[in-house]
Amino acid sequence: MTAQNRQKKLAGIPPPGGGRTDGCPAGPSCRLRTLHLAAVLALFAFSGCGLNQWVHNGFKVGPNYCKPAVPLASEWIDYRDPNIQSVPADLAVWWTVFRDPALDDLVQAASRRNINLRVAGMRILEARYRRQIAVGELFPQLQEAAGSYSRNKLSANVANAPAELWFSNWDVGMNAAWELDFWGRFRRAVEVADAELDASIENYDEVLVLLLAEVASSYVEMRTFQERRSYAAKNVIAQENALKIAEERFENGKATKRDVEQARTIVEQTRSLVPEFEAGQRVANNRLCILLGLPPQDLAGRLGESPIPQTPPQVAVGIPADLIRRRPDIRRAEREVAAQSARIGIAQSDLYPHISINGTFGWAAADFGDLFDGNRSTFGGIGPAFRWDVLNYGRIVNNVRAQDARFQQAAYAYQQKVLEAAREAEDGIVKLLTNHRRSKYLDASAQAAENARAITVKQYNEGTVDFTPVFIAESQVAQMQDLAAAARGQIAQSLIELYRALGGGWEMRLLPQGEIASAGPSPFLTEPDGRPKPPEPAEMLPAPLPTPPGKQGPSR
């Protein structure tokens, strides 16, 4: 089975009709009489099918690329759930669904200053320059000017030794060599560079998607620890009041020492949670600083206190097939398949002769004054040539097979990436739905525990029960309120995970800055008086352009 047929099988569709319209750049020189022999020998090396494929592919050997088919479900597993809407979703600024200005500011600042994003932008520039190098190979590959001077002496002890043993030699000229792209080798290399440039843009988008999700996740984690710490502090106050009651009853002989120790136990246990939550909040704070391109510092002054971001009751997620269009990592994997497909053609071109035109032109003379003396000092030559590795077919054929095997690997990796993306999206959906239900139950449980505590404390004051029921009630309130706060944070985290799995957020680089920051510039990018903050080292780097001039970006 040929590489072309294998691509058809992977794609599940016939290859597009016709080839590219950019023909062999060799021009009339391909018809030089001295090149006929090499061309005829090369054509004899083709089978009938191979010659037809060469013509069909736009005078390029190797297969034309066909996108591999991918396995995808037609609907989400939970598409019947009223909270999941299988309608087209605009995820360009998905974080705004939380309606949290502080989160909006963090996202705006991170998209401007994150260093990993800048690294991805530099990769785009590198790929763009490498593409220009590949395009340059279509033109004469060797273009060099050279010159030299030498002072020479001949031996006097040889036959017919000249009278003048010393002489000088001046020469200056230019050499040029142009390997014609007869088999499409260099055009295939441009296809590789095009696909790699697209892949670098998709890599930038992937880094942006992950960055936005990590910023939102760290922010929610920070708010969750704030709320859990707040509940713990309030419960410490309530439990200290219960301890005072137990101590007063013990002093009045109405309770035992056990009541006091039980009350002190629950107070110290709850108090021990506060440092744990403070540490978790600081860790999330430090992670946000790095995402913002800042050294670790306390952001509490600029973020203040705020509840855990609330999620909307319904979420638009589109359909599974949207993942191929929306997720940058899937698009990057597909572009890598396309690049590897073109490398098969590059390897296959080594089976045929490399046809070139070589030329030399210059001046040479013994005296510098005669160097440019018209035609007397001029030398040069021009003519066709070919190079054919006729005895290396074993290595060349196996290299073609190796490139084809790499293509198969890339195609299967692309299909696996689509499956993993579908799994991640399904995981996000089910976590969002179940965390909503779990949070509802925990909120009800926390409220019931608080009601039970009030009743139990009243009964203890009245002397109808000992402190053990109060001890149990206080423990349950602290535990259930903490679980309820953590569950609310998990709802927001699962929605963030879902948006990340859907590939949301990369579109923000295509939006005007005003649409991203409609509420004004982020305080993380301005001084307290509103003046722009001096640029950080990351901001001094040139911002990457989404699509190079004259180059069509990847399909969205």
Side-chain angles (χ1 to χ4, degrees):
M1 182 183 292
T2 66
Q4 182 82 58
N5 291 335
R6 278 189 287 273
Q7 289 207 28
K8 292 179 184 178
K9 183 177 180 181
L10 277 171
I13 56 174
R20 286 176 53 176
T21 58
D22 52 340
C24 174
S29 59
C30 287
R31 296 190 294 271
L32 291 174
R33 182 180 301 275
T34 53
L35 298 181
H36 283 177
L37 177 59
V40 169
L41 290 174
L43 293 179
F44 271 118
F46 278 111
S47 64
C49 178
L51 178 59
N52 291 335
Q53 180 184 346
W54 177 64
V55 175
H56 179 271
N57 290 352
F59 301 100
K60 294 179 290 186
V61 297
N64 277 352
Y65 174 64
C66 299
K67 182 184 293 187
V70 291
L72 273 176
S74 59
E75 297 286 354
W76 305 110
I77 296 175
D78 297 295
Y79 74 95
R80 292 186 180 87
D81 193 293
N83 295 322
I84 300 299
Q85 298 179 336
S86 298
V87 297
D90 182 8
L91 307 181
V93 287
W94 57 262
W95 57 91
T96 58
V97 302
F98 293 111
R99 301 184 182 278
D100 192 318
L103 177 58
D104 297 343
D105 292 338
L106 288 170
V107 167
Q108 181 188 355
S111 65
R112 290 267 305 277
R113 301 173 67 165
N114 182 261
I115 295 178
N116 285 336
L117 197 61
R118 294 281 170 168
V119 172
M122 293 300 103
R123 292 197 181 107
I124 294 179
L125 297 181
E126 178 188 357
R128 187 180 303 173
Y129 301 141
R130 290 188 181 279
R131 179 185 181 275
Q132 296 304 320
I133 294 174
V135 171
E137 292 293 329
L138 293 170
F139 304 96
Q141 294 83 18
L142 176 63
Q143 306 172 59
E144 63 179 14
S148 66
Y149 165 75
S150 64
R151 182 66 174 169
N152 308 288
K153 179 184 180 298
L154 299 177
S155 173
N157 294 323
V158 296
N160 302 320
E164 183 65 41
L165 299 180
W166 289 90
F167 68 95
S168 299
N169 188 55
W170 297 83
D171 67 80
V172 61
M174 175 177 291
N175 298 323
W178 187 5
E179 180 181 337
L180 307 178
D181 196 23
F182 198 83
W183 311 110
R185 172 188 174 195
F186 299 119
R187 283 170 288 157
R188 291 295 189 194
V190 173
E191 290 180 15
V192 173
D194 283 340
E196 289 179 341
L197 175 56
D198 290 342
S200 69
I201 296 175
E202 305 302 352
N203 177 71
Y204 180 92
D205 289 345
E206 181 182 2
V207 173
L208 183 57
V209 168
L210 296 177
L211 170 65
L212 300 178
E214 192 168 358
V215 168
S217 177
S218 299
Y219 176 75
V220 168
E221 184 177 349
M222 186 176 178
R223 293 306 191 194
T224 301
F225 277 118
Q226 280 184 348
E227 190 160 322
R228 294 175 70 183
R229 185 189 63 177
S230 176
Y231 275 124
K234 291 178 181 178
N235 282 315
V236 166
I237 295 174
Q239 291 163 8
E240 286 176 342
N241 292 334
L243 173 60
K244 291 179 182 179
I245 296 174
E247 289 174 341
E248 291 175 357
R249 288 178 61 83
F250 173 70
E251 292 173 358
N252 296 329
K254 298 181 180 180
T256 63
K257 184 66 173 178
R258 186 190 67 176
D259 291 357
V260 176
E261 296 304 325
Q262 282 184 322
R264 183 173 291 110
T265 297
I266 190 62
V267 169
E268 299 303 333
Q269 178 183 349
T270 305
R271 188 176 285 148
S272 69
L273 296 176
V274 175
E276 177 185 347
F277 297 151
E278 289 176 346
Q281 180 180 341
R282 178 63 61 82
V283 169
N285 173 94
N286 295 341
R287 191 183 308 120
L288 276 175
C289 290
I290 302 305
L291 295 173
L292 295 174
L294 302 172
Q297 54 191 265
D298 191 2
L299 301 178
R302 284 181 279 185
L303 294 177
E305 295 282 339
S306 182
I308 299 172
Q310 298 296 309
T311 61
Q314 295 180 327
V315 180
V317 296
I319 59 176
D322 291 338
L323 293 175
I324 300 176
R325 172 187 60 84
R326 196 155 47 194
R327 282 197 44 149
D329 57 337
I330 292 179
R331 298 198 304 266
R332 176 172 56 84
E334 186 273 329
R335 291 288 81 204
E336 291 171 352
V337 180
Q340 186 56 40
S341 173
R343 291 190 184 100
I344 299 174
I346 296 175
Q348 194 169 338
S349 69
D350 290 333
L351 289 168
Y352 311 109
H354 300 266
I355 304 170
S356 61
I357 299 176
N358 301 323
T360 302
F361 180 79
W363 296 267
D367 297 321
F368 183 77
D370 298 330
L371 185 60
F372 300 103
D373 183 15
N375 293 329
R376 292 175 57 83
S377 300
T378 303
F379 69 90
I382 185 171
F386 76 92
R387 177 179 57 83
W388 196 353
D389 299 326
V390 292
L391 299 181
N392 292 332
Y393 269 41
R395 292 197 295 267
I396 295 173
V397 169
N398 281 296
N399 183 42
V400 173
R401 293 169 178 167
Q403 297 299 330
D404 183 62
R406 290 180 180 176
F407 168 80
Q408 305 294 328
Q409 296 171 39
Y412 291 134
Y414 166 63
Q415 293 172 336
Q416 180 66 20
K417 179 68 71 174
V418 173
L419 289 176
E420 291 175 354
R423 189 263 304 167
E424 291 174 0
E426 290 285 4
D427 290 350
I429 291 173
V430 70
K431 287 180 181 180
L432 179 64
L433 296 177
T434 54
N435 283 333
H436 265 295
R437 295 200 300 270
R438 180 172 179 268
S439 178
K440 179 181 178 181
Y441 301 147
L442 288 174
D443 285 340
S445 177
Q447 184 61 51
E450 196 167 0
N451 295 338
R453 177 178 64 178
I455 295 173
T456 305
V457 170
K458 181 180 179 181
Q459 291 175 341
Y460 180 70
N461 287 331
E462 294 173 351
T464 57
V465 297
D466 62 6
F467 195 80
T468 299
V470 178
F471 176 81
I472 296 173
E474 293 285 2
S475 300
Q476 288 180 335
V477 169
Q479 179 183 8
M480 298 314 301
Q481 286 183 343
D482 183 62
L483 288 175
R488 286 193 292 274
Q490 288 173 358
I491 294 175
Q493 295 283 15
S494 59
L495 182 58
I496 294 169
E497 180 182 343
L498 176 57
Y499 282 132
R500 182 199 62 77
L502 295 175
W506 63 265
E507 301 96 332
M508 73 174 295
R509 70 172 174 81
L510 305 176
L511 298 176
Q513 190 67 23
E515 295 186 29
I516 301 174
S518 57
S522 167
F524 298 98
L525 300 175
T526 56
E527 299 289 358
D529 59 1
R531 293 181 295 104
K533 184 173 293 185
E536 296 288 333
E539 290 185 293
M540 296 179 185
L541 296 173
L545 298 176
T547 305
K551 172 74 174 66
Q552 182 64 36
S555 61
R556 300 301 184 195

